Each structure stands twice: as structure tokens, then as C-alpha cells.
Amino acid sequence: MALGLLADRRDGLGRSRTETLNRIHRLLLELIPGGAKKFLSAMQARGLIADLRPNDPVGRVQLRLALELIEELEAIDRKIKAADKELRQLVSDHGSTLMELHDIGPSSAARLLADTADIHRFGTRDRFASWNGTAPLDACSGDQQRHRLSRAGNRRINRVLHIMAVVQLRNRTAGRVYYDARKAGGKTSMEANTHIHGLT
């Protein structure tokens, strides 16, 4: 399925970007006192080292490597932009409205469509939750009623749903309202979060 192949490619680009950015951060820690902020664009990284003129051989090599990695990051960003554009079109061609949900991008929507295929094959939402690993498992102890998330299921879909849940909790969404209601009802933060994963 083309959508699945492109979703895999997009995931790979995301991993490459994270790895490249981590390497840039390690070099910036050596070149700049205190290093750089966690979320850094290629343009921001260039700005940080623009005026650096190391006098020692090690510093000069570090600066050159940082510049090379920034160029790699820029190339990856261009590929990600192109991949997202193609995925957005493919998701739209499938007639999906997933991207209308709060902060669901083309990559996440494509992964959901590609791995889930025909949603009707699950029959019920409980079967779908069991398949993707968001069905809460009973973890009761004595009189305490507790649940935890399953470690089984499709981990790629589980990751997408986890990101969706986290984003919902950061904003005033229906998911956040539901989470707050569970907390007000006596659930712990972890338990309320477990329910959000199942709800998502």
C-alpha cells in the first residue's frame, strides 16, 4: 500500500532529524557555554554559530562538523516538507477527515489509515482498542480499583494515539475536559491518562 510505504519513509525521516539534531546539540555544548535550547531549527543553529571563530584545532573541527550537520538537517527538513505534502494529498484522496482532529498531521493520519486499513474489520471499539494496545487492563489490588495500559498491540498506532492524547492534554480540548473530570472523580493522573488513551 503506497500510503504505508510513504508513512514508513516519513517516520524514518523523523528519526533521522532527531538523531541529527542530537548530534548538533552535542557539538554546540562544546562550542557555546550552556549549549542551545532543546527545540532548535536549522536557521537558529546557524545563527548561534555564525560569529564563532575557534582558535584551537579541535574547536575548528567541531565548528565544521556542526555546519555540515546543519546542512544535513536542512536537507532532511526539505524532504519532510515534501513527504508531508504528498501524505496530505493521499490522506485527502482516501476521503479521510482525520486531519480535522486537533493537531493531527498528515504523518499520523497516514499511519492510522495504513495500519488500520478497514476499520470495520474490528467490529467494536473494544476490539480496536485491544488491537492497538489502548484497552485498559485490570490491575486491582484488594479494594482498590485500578487499571493500566496494555504493552501489547500495534505499537506504531499506539504511539500515534499517545501523541494525540498528549496534545489534547496540553490544550483546552474535549480530551482535556474528560481528563479533568476523571481527576475530579478521584482518579490519579496516571489513571486519568490511561482513560484518555482509550478514549482517543
Side-chain angles (χ1 to χ4, degrees), residues 2-4 28 38 59 63 72 78 86 92 100 103 107 109 115 119-120 130 138 157-158 174-175 180 184 191-192:
L3 198 59
L28 292 181
K38 182 177 180 180
L63 179 60
E72 290 180 21
R78 287 192 295 270
E86 187 172 7
S92 178
E100 294 178 10
D103 208 30
S107 177
D115 283 23
I119 190 67
H120 300 292
S130 178
D138 190 3
I157 294 297
N158 189 276
D180 290 340
E191 288 174 321

Short mmCIF file of all heavy atoms in Angstrom, two decimals, residues 2-4 28 38 59 63 72 78 86 92 100 103 107 109 115 119-120 130 138 157-158 174-175 180 184 191-192:
data_model
loop_
_atom_site.label_atom_id
_atom_site.label_comp_id
_atom_site.label_asym_id
_atom_site.label_seq_id
_atom_site.Cartn_x
_atom_site.Cartn_y
_atom_site.Cartn_z
N ALA A 2 0.66 2.13 -0.97
CA ALA A 2 1.50 3.32 -1.11
C ALA A 2 1.51 4.16 0.15
O ALA A 2 2.56 4.69 0.56
CB ALA A 2 1.01 4.14 -2.30
N LEU A 3 0.35 4.28 0.79
CA LEU A 3 0.26 5.11 1.98
C LEU A 3 1.16 4.58 3.09
O LEU A 3 1.83 5.35 3.79
CB LEU A 3 -1.20 5.15 2.46
CG LEU A 3 -1.58 6.28 3.42
CD1 LEU A 3 -1.33 7.64 2.78
CD2 LEU A 3 -3.04 6.16 3.82
N GLY A 4 1.20 3.26 3.24
CA GLY A 4 2.05 2.65 4.26
C GLY A 4 3.52 2.86 3.97
O GLY A 4 4.32 3.14 4.88
N LEU A 28 27.25 21.80 19.93
CA LEU A 28 27.00 23.15 20.44
C LEU A 28 27.35 23.26 21.93
O LEU A 28 27.75 24.34 22.40
CB LEU A 28 25.54 23.54 20.22
CG LEU A 28 25.12 23.76 18.76
CD1 LEU A 28 23.65 24.15 18.68
CD2 LEU A 28 25.99 24.82 18.09
N LYS A 38 16.42 23.22 23.63
CA LYS A 38 16.06 21.88 23.16
C LYS A 38 15.47 21.90 21.75
O LYS A 38 15.90 21.16 20.88
CB LYS A 38 15.08 21.23 24.13
CG LYS A 38 14.68 19.81 23.76
CD LYS A 38 13.75 19.21 24.80
CE LYS A 38 13.36 17.78 24.42
NZ LYS A 38 12.44 17.18 25.42
N GLY A 59 38.32 23.00 18.21
CA GLY A 59 37.17 23.88 18.05
C GLY A 59 36.83 24.11 16.59
O GLY A 59 35.65 24.17 16.22
N LEU A 63 33.32 23.13 14.79
CA LEU A 63 32.52 24.10 14.06
C LEU A 63 32.20 23.60 12.65
O LEU A 63 31.06 23.72 12.17
CB LEU A 63 33.26 25.44 13.99
CG LEU A 63 32.55 26.56 13.22
CD1 LEU A 63 31.20 26.88 13.84
CD2 LEU A 63 33.43 27.81 13.17
N GLU A 72 22.83 18.99 6.72
CA GLU A 72 22.08 17.73 6.67
C GLU A 72 20.67 17.93 7.23
O GLU A 72 19.70 17.39 6.68
CB GLU A 72 22.81 16.65 7.48
CG GLU A 72 24.11 16.18 6.84
CD GLU A 72 24.80 15.11 7.67
OE1 GLU A 72 24.11 14.45 8.50
OE2 GLU A 72 26.01 14.92 7.50
N ARG A 78 13.69 19.60 4.23
CA ARG A 78 13.09 19.74 2.90
C ARG A 78 12.37 18.45 2.50
O ARG A 78 11.27 18.48 1.93
CB ARG A 78 14.16 20.10 1.86
CG ARG A 78 14.67 21.53 1.97
CD ARG A 78 15.49 21.92 0.75
NE ARG A 78 16.71 21.13 0.63
CZ ARG A 78 17.88 21.48 1.18
NH1 ARG A 78 17.98 22.58 1.90
NH2 ARG A 78 18.95 20.72 1.00
N GLU A 86 2.88 15.24 0.20
CA GLU A 86 2.38 14.07 -0.53
C GLU A 86 1.41 13.26 0.33
O GLU A 86 0.36 12.81 -0.14
CB GLU A 86 3.55 13.19 -0.97
CG GLU A 86 3.13 12.04 -1.89
CD GLU A 86 4.32 11.30 -2.47
OE1 GLU A 86 5.47 11.59 -2.06
OE2 GLU A 86 4.10 10.42 -3.32
N SER A 92 -6.18 12.90 1.93
CA SER A 92 -7.37 13.56 1.39
C SER A 92 -8.03 12.71 0.31
O SER A 92 -9.26 12.61 0.25
CB SER A 92 -6.98 14.93 0.82
OG SER A 92 -8.09 15.58 0.25
N GLU A 100 -8.74 16.75 10.44
CA GLU A 100 -9.59 17.78 11.02
C GLU A 100 -9.59 17.71 12.54
O GLU A 100 -10.04 18.64 13.21
CB GLU A 100 -11.03 17.63 10.50
CG GLU A 100 -11.16 17.89 9.00
CD GLU A 100 -12.58 17.68 8.50
OE1 GLU A 100 -13.48 17.51 9.35
OE2 GLU A 100 -12.79 17.66 7.27
N ASP A 103 -4.74 18.92 15.99
CA ASP A 103 -3.30 18.73 15.85
C ASP A 103 -2.91 17.35 15.32
O ASP A 103 -1.91 16.77 15.73
CB ASP A 103 -2.59 19.00 17.18
CG ASP A 103 -1.16 19.48 16.96
OD1 ASP A 103 -0.91 20.13 15.93
OD2 ASP A 103 -0.30 19.21 17.81
N SER A 107 1.33 12.84 8.71
CA SER A 107 2.08 11.63 9.04
C SER A 107 1.28 10.71 9.96
O SER A 107 1.18 9.50 9.72
CB SER A 107 3.40 12.01 9.71
OG SER A 107 4.12 10.86 10.10
N ALA A 109 -2.01 10.77 10.47
CA ALA A 109 -3.21 10.34 9.76
C ALA A 109 -2.90 9.19 8.81
O ALA A 109 -3.64 8.20 8.72
CB ALA A 109 -3.83 11.51 9.01
N ASP A 115 -2.10 1.37 8.71
CA ASP A 115 -2.05 0.19 9.59
C ASP A 115 -3.43 -0.34 9.94
O ASP A 115 -3.62 -1.54 10.11
CB ASP A 115 -1.29 0.53 10.87
CG ASP A 115 0.22 0.57 10.67
OD1 ASP A 115 0.64 0.78 9.51
OD2 ASP A 115 0.97 0.41 11.64
N ILE A 119 -11.44 -0.14 9.05
CA ILE A 119 -11.79 -0.04 10.46
C ILE A 119 -12.94 -0.97 10.83
O ILE A 119 -13.06 -1.44 11.97
CB ILE A 119 -12.14 1.42 10.83
CG1 ILE A 119 -12.28 1.60 12.34
CG2 ILE A 119 -13.40 1.86 10.11
CD1 ILE A 119 -11.01 1.42 13.11
N HIS A 120 -13.79 -1.29 9.86
CA HIS A 120 -14.96 -2.12 10.13
C HIS A 120 -14.59 -3.57 10.44
O HIS A 120 -15.42 -4.32 10.97
CB HIS A 120 -15.92 -2.07 8.94
CG HIS A 120 -16.43 -0.69 8.63
ND1 HIS A 120 -17.27 0.00 9.47
CD2 HIS A 120 -16.17 0.14 7.58
CE1 HIS A 120 -17.53 1.19 8.95
NE2 HIS A 120 -16.88 1.31 7.81
N SER A 130 -8.15 -3.18 21.81
CA SER A 130 -7.31 -4.32 22.13
C SER A 130 -6.20 -4.48 21.10
O SER A 130 -5.05 -4.77 21.43
CB SER A 130 -8.16 -5.59 22.19
OG SER A 130 -7.36 -6.73 22.46
N ASP A 138 -7.09 -4.64 33.80
CA ASP A 138 -7.43 -4.64 35.22
C ASP A 138 -6.17 -4.83 36.05
O ASP A 138 -5.40 -5.77 35.84
CB ASP A 138 -8.42 -5.78 35.49
CG ASP A 138 -9.00 -5.70 36.90
OD1 ASP A 138 -8.68 -4.74 37.61
OD2 ASP A 138 -9.78 -6.61 37.27
N ILE A 157 0.61 2.33 16.00
CA ILE A 157 -0.66 3.01 16.20
C ILE A 157 -0.75 3.52 17.63
O ILE A 157 -1.24 4.62 17.89
CB ILE A 157 -1.83 2.06 15.90
CG1 ILE A 157 -1.85 1.71 14.41
CG2 ILE A 157 -3.16 2.70 16.29
CD1 ILE A 157 -2.08 2.88 13.49
N ASN A 158 -0.26 2.72 18.57
CA ASN A 158 -0.29 3.12 19.97
C ASN A 158 0.49 4.42 20.17
O ASN A 158 0.06 5.30 20.92
CB ASN A 158 0.31 2.00 20.83
CG ASN A 158 0.12 2.25 22.31
OD1 ASN A 158 0.91 2.95 22.93
ND2 ASN A 158 -0.91 1.66 22.88
N ALA A 174 -11.73 18.50 24.19
CA ALA A 174 -12.66 17.57 24.83
C ALA A 174 -11.90 16.55 25.66
O ALA A 174 -12.36 16.13 26.74
CB ALA A 174 -13.51 16.88 23.77
N GLY A 175 -10.72 16.16 25.17
CA GLY A 175 -9.89 15.21 25.91
C GLY A 175 -9.44 15.78 27.24
O GLY A 175 -9.41 15.09 28.26
N ASP A 180 -9.80 16.08 33.16
CA ASP A 180 -10.05 16.83 34.39
C ASP A 180 -11.23 16.24 35.17
O ASP A 180 -11.21 16.21 36.41
CB ASP A 180 -10.33 18.31 34.07
CG ASP A 180 -9.08 19.03 33.58
OD1 ASP A 180 -7.96 18.55 33.84
OD2 ASP A 180 -9.23 20.08 32.92
N ALA A 184 -11.17 14.83 38.92
CA ALA A 184 -12.11 15.33 39.93
C ALA A 184 -12.90 14.18 40.55
O ALA A 184 -13.36 14.28 41.70
CB ALA A 184 -13.08 16.33 39.29
N GLU A 191 -4.02 7.19 36.01
CA GLU A 191 -5.27 6.51 35.65
C GLU A 191 -6.09 7.35 34.68
O GLU A 191 -6.64 6.83 33.70
CB GLU A 191 -6.08 6.22 36.91
CG GLU A 191 -5.51 5.12 37.78
CD GLU A 191 -6.28 4.97 39.08
OE1 GLU A 191 -6.68 5.99 39.67
OE2 GLU A 191 -6.48 3.82 39.50
N ALA A 192 -6.16 8.65 34.94
CA ALA A 192 -6.91 9.53 34.05
C ALA A 192 -6.28 9.54 32.66
O ALA A 192 -6.97 9.55 31.64
CB ALA A 192 -6.95 10.94 34.62
#
